[in-house]
Amino acid sequence: QIHLAESGGGSVQTGGSMRLSCVASGATFSIRTMAWFRQGPAKEREGVAAINYGDDASTYADSVKGRFTISQDSAKNTVYLQMDGLNPEDTATYFCAAAPAYYLGRAALSTGKYQSWGQGTQVTVSS
């Protein structure tokens, strides 16, 4: 079993930056892909970014390309999401997730590929 704990959320003004962290514990040896998802008010959960353990191959949603950067520190079992150029449309609860297989592209941003989820951290961007 894998436990995921997010941190780093909060409030920021438009144009600001924020870094989210997700620490994995438990059966971390089984993780192959980690990802960040978000769910805004009255919206479906959507994939934001994903990264493969080992080669750091990453996938981004079009809405965040060039603004968000996903990275991982395998020694710390931690995945980060650096968010720059934030705008009110980025306001959401952000969740990290872990999958036992390698995914890239659309699959990497699909909720159904992930078996373990964190509780989420709120990000609020004001105009």
Side-chain angles (χ1 to χ4, degrees):
Q1 193 169 4
I2 297 168
H3 181 257
L4 303 173
E6 304 97 335
S7 62
S11 298
V12 67
Q13 291 189 328
T14 295
S17 297
M18 189 176 292
R19 189 176 82 156
L20 306 182
S21 300
C22 173
V23 179
S25 59
T28 58
F29 60 86
S30 65
I31 298 174
R32 298 295 180 266
T33 301
M34 291 284 289
W36 286 95
F37 289 78
R38 67 185 181 186
Q39 188 165 15
K43 293 183 179 180
E44 293 187 355
R45 191 169 298 189
E46 63 173 353
V48 174
I51 189 167
N52 287 350
Y53 275 17
D55 64 3
D56 285 351
S58 58
T59 301
Y60 293 92
D62 288 343
S63 59
V64 306
K65 279 181 182 176
R67 300 189 299 125
F68 290 11
T69 303
I70 189 170
S71 61
Q72 58 103 359
D73 184 337
S74 58
K76 297 181 179 179
N77 286 315
T78 301
V79 174
Y80 305 96
L81 185 67
Q82 176 67 39
M83 304 185 293
D84 300 316
L86 286 162
N87 58 64
E89 289 70 39
D90 296 316
T91 294
T93 300
Y94 283 71
F95 301 88
C96 71
Y102 293 110
Y103 297 113
L104 285 174
R106 183 175 296 180
L109 301 181
S110 172
T111 57
K113 299 299 187 183
Y114 294 84
Q115 298 178 351
S116 302
W117 293 85
Q119 293 298 307
T121 184
Q122 178 66 37
V123 172
T124 302
V125 185
S126 58
S127 57

